[in-house]
Amino acid sequence: MALEIRMPKLSDTMEEGTILRWYKKVGETVERGEVIAEVETDKADMEVEAEASGVIREIRVAEGESAPVGAVLAILEEAAEGVKPTTAPPKPAPTASPAAEAASSSPPSARVAAAKPSARPSAPSGAPEEPTEPTPRATGATAAAARSEAPPPPPSLRWKPRLGPSSPLAAGRHPESRLRQTVAKQMSQSKRDIPHFYVTSEIDMSEAARLREQLLATNLFPERITYTHLLIRALALVLPRHPRANASWVDGAVEIHSDINIGIAVAVEDGLVAPVIHRCQNMGLREIAQATQGLVEKAQAGKFTGAELVGATFTISNMGMLDIDSFAAVITPPQSAILAVGSIRDRPVVRAGQLAVAKTMRVTLSADHRVLNGVEAGRFLEDLKHTLERPIALVL
């Protein structure tokens, strides 16, 4: 039985994809779940897996060529159950584009460097690392000693973005990558169609910091617990009590989502992506840490699937690793809200009429006024603040 291998929709905004590489040739056998191709999308480079076992009989889209979502990429002759597929003389594949031929004639290392540059998080949206803890400013030998004694930072999400500049751009016109064009289109749509309003709160993270230190000291969890994990866990507890913050505006109606799928906005040199932790309402703190680490490992190996970049119902944009007090993020359609997270630092507070110093974090909720009003957004942030300032519930 012949099966059509079609261009999958690997992100919410994907309209077409480009074949970067075929891992199988015409006439070769594949097993169900085996990676057969690598596709460039508007978000990242993704791997396409075979949905059945069989033999590749035809390849219709060559390396370097693009095709819309749903287009037939190849034909697979499915093997009957219990029957091992046999190979057949390969049919010639379509002639590759000049760019693909040039790429194939270059050394493998050059092709990898051109198609899959390394990535590092950059502003405006932070990686899902913990917000930075306050540290005294130091110079000279003091700063050098502090750097030498500081523990290595926790891993952050990294994967293969579109090729972007690593140095300041020269004056003149510069074509943007597909990823940046998609982000620009999505953000323009968001600011044009969604009536944003913003609510900011300052959260005392002193108790959350002590809880995290205790968890790290006792090795209760094998995973290294970060402030981001604590924040995601708090949102998993708070969002069910404020369903309009976990909703979408669809065709004149509010759609309340049953699952809490939290996207973590991450900036790379060439744009913005938001991998998703699905069904957070069913996860404890350790499961959240495991899921985040799983995304880290997949990102480092370049193994993202489409499911890990779609379906977010609420998003965190975290710039806690930078020297940023607060900022406002743009809502990702069709979500109704996004939480912008600033850095944790020592700030003056008043307790029982006395001036004191506490570790505080400023967060700003950008909300869709069609879905939430000011009081509802304020109550949501008030609940989140209460939960993080009394964090024992996060480990229960």
Side-chain angles (χ1 to χ4, degrees), residues 51-66:
E51 297 182 358
S53 299
V55 177
I56 299 291
R57 292 304 184 197
E58 182 181 356
I59 292 178
R60 295 188 179 179
V61 180
E63 292 180 357
E65 294 183 351
S66 300

Side-chain angles (χ1 to χ4, degrees), residues 293-355:
Q293 181 60 33
L295 288 179
V296 170
E297 293 171 353
K298 289 187 176 183
Q300 291 171 339
K303 299 293 185 181
F304 267 131
T305 64
E308 289 159 343
L309 291 179
V310 299
T313 60
F314 187 94
T315 296
I316 300 171
S317 185
N318 180 3
M319 286 207 285
M321 70 295 302
L322 303 176
D323 189 17
I324 300 297
D325 283 333
S326 64
F327 68 103
V330 179
I331 298 170
T332 303
Q335 299 164 40
S336 66
I338 183 171
L339 188 71
V341 182
S343 59
I344 295 176
R345 62 178 63 192
D346 288 335
R347 295 185 176 96
V349 298
V350 176
R351 290 175 175 167
Q354 299 295 318
L355 189 63

Side-chain angles (χ1 to χ4, degrees), residues 13 52 72 87 98 110 114 124 144 166 195 226 260 270 303 310 325 332 345 392:
T13 56
V72 178
T87 59
S166 57
T226 70
I260 296 173
D270 204 34
K303 299 293 185 181
V310 299
D325 283 333
T332 303
R345 62 178 63 192
I392 188 62

Side-chain angles (χ1 to χ4, degrees), residues 14 17 67 97 99 116 122 126 140 174 179 188 198 200 207 214 217 221 233 240 287 295 310 319 343 349 358 372 379:
M14 178 179 173
S97 64
K116 309 165 191 172
S122 59
H174 297 271
L179 175 56
S188 297
Y198 311 94
T200 300
E207 291 300 321
Q214 291 170 356
F221 300 150
R233 174 60 175 154
E287 287 76 19
L295 288 179
V310 299
M319 286 207 285
S343 59
V349 298
L372 297 103
R379 287 173 177 167

Side-chain angles (χ1 to χ4, degrees), residues 6-8 14-22 38-42 60-73 94-100 162 178:
R6 296 180 176 271
M7 177 70 75
M14 178 179 173
E15 296 179 355
E16 69 172 12
T18 301
I19 299 294
L20 294 178
R21 178 181 178 186
W22 282 104
E38 184 176 20
V39 174
E40 177 192 50
T41 75
D42 59 350
R60 295 188 179 179
V61 180
E63 292 180 357
E65 294 183 351
S66 300
V69 170
V72 178
L73 303 178
T95 303
S97 64
R162 305 288 75 74
R178 180 184 299 169

Side-chain angles (χ1 to χ4, degrees), residues 1 9 21 30 74 80 103 107 113 117 133-134 137 169 187 208 224 243 301 336 363 365 379:
M1 176 181 177
K9 189 174 180 66
R21 178 181 178 186
V30 299
E133 297 184 48
R137 296 186 181 275
L169 292 175
M187 295 299 99
R224 187 178 190 274
S336 66
V363 298
L365 182 75
R379 287 173 177 167

